[in-house]
Amino acid sequence: MKVFLCRLLPLSTLLTIPASSWALTSVESTTILRLEQRDAAGSKKDVAPLTQFLGLDLDRLSGSSLSLHFYGWGRLDLAEKSYNTDQGGGSVTYGYLQYRPRDANAELRLGRFFVHEGIVNEQVDGVGARSDLPFGLAISAFGGATVHTVNLPGEESDGKGDGLFGGRVSYRYRGVVEVGLSGVYESAAPSLATHAGGNHRLVGGDLWLAPHSAVELTGHSSYNTETSQVAEHSYLLNVRPVQELTVSARYEEERDRSYFYTWALFSGAALDPADRSRSIGASASYRIRKGELFAEYRRYKRELGTADRFGGEAKFSFADNRVRAGGGYHYLRADQSFAISGTQSPSYHAVRGYLMTDTPSYFGALDLTAYLFKEKIFGRKSAWEGTASGGYHLTRALALSGDVAYGSNPQFSDEVRAVVRLTYNMAYDGKGGTK
């Protein structure tokens, strides 16, 4: 109960603000009732979780440059438990006050928020600020309490430290290049009984380069100060020789121990320091009059072996975009060493096709996905799932919809799922009217 009350605190704080002191910019609410019957090895289980998602954006609090942003969810199981041993759950994804001065490109945040700066990708309960400086420089910093998740199996914590801070400095030259240096430092991780955990401490650099309007290079490299090794390289090159065509090349490399060092659930700190994963790939997309064609190839290399994935997709739109259709095919060819225990091959074909329509009054979709295994997995040669969806716009902002899905796979001999969904999305102008 204590945890549940803590999760509701940011929302209750929001509701104490007098309605006359803010301008509601947008509200997003989705209520989902999921009906599912699971059949695993002859044991059937009926679950019916009721989940509520809620997002709010309130601008110009008391006519100032303050705004408030919130998004969270809560779940209550109406039948058997759908997840772990709890009958319900919930979380505040983010909830923060933001101040943005009208005469400067800067911002200050207070509450729970995400930080995406250079190599930093964190969720924190605390304070954060960023601002442009003269001569193309910019600076950002954040600090606060770590957002903890559920405890690891058999442990009394999630393996994370209790405090977190970091930041980034950057330099941008016109619209051509930007380079940045960033880092994150988490307080000491707790000792674990059965898992190998580690301190979360990284530094690194990032790059954005656009020497020509048709060429763009982005990427970053990070260094783990706990292992004294590079953790990751990730770079993407996009070239647009003509307006309709985009050709991309990608390179990614992770030193497994340094990259997964704090993933206690997978005992990342116990991995061999010499293990690394690498992938290279290329893709091309071409926009046509009524759609887009896409093809890609990627090669993966790990200590276990190598794998290749290639394929393509096509999507089309008709009737002023009210009807859309598409499909795709991919093949994964992987070495035997990637196969899960008890199976002969990890290679498979993946096929997908869909058809959807959206009109001012109703909307619907049909979606079919199939995986065809090169060798049987637990006695099954394939896995597939079909989904039929339909809905009706009760008002401009309110819609009632539902999905029914049926499939079969090596884990579940038969799987049936149904979802009933009530969605409300509305954006408001500054005078209280709808956009």
Side-chain angles (χ1 to χ4, degrees), residues 50-113:
L50 178 66
T51 307
Q52 174 67 49
F53 298 88
L54 177 64
L56 294 171
D57 293 295
L58 310 177
D59 282 344
R60 299 190 301 282
L61 296 174
S62 299
S64 68
S65 297
L66 281 173
S67 61
L68 191 146
H69 308 271
F70 171 86
Y71 193 89
W73 62 272
R75 186 200 83 242
L76 177 65
D77 285 323
L78 303 181
E80 297 182 71
K81 295 170 183 174
S82 63
Y83 178 73
N84 61 36
T85 58
D86 298 327
Q87 199 70 32
S91 176
V92 174
T93 307
Y94 60 79
Y96 59 89
L97 277 169
Q98 177 174 277
Y99 174 74
R100 300 193 68 174
R102 297 175 181 175
D103 55 354
N105 186 17
E107 65 180 33
L108 175 67
R109 292 183 174 184
L110 176 65
R112 175 172 295 184
F113 54 90

Side-chain angles (χ1 to χ4, degrees), residues 1-6:
M1 180 60 74
K2 181 179 177 181
V3 174
F4 183 67
L5 291 175
C6 290

Side-chain angles (χ1 to χ4, degrees), residues 150-164:
V150 297
N151 290 348
L152 295 164
E155 306 285 356
E156 297 182 352
S157 79
D158 61 356
K160 299 179 181 177
D162 292 328
L164 188 72

Side-chain angles (χ1 to χ4, degrees), residues 359-374:
T359 72
S361 57
Y362 66 88
F363 53 96
L366 296 173
D367 195 318
L368 179 63
T369 302
Y371 297 91
L372 311 174
F373 309 127
K374 184 178 180 181

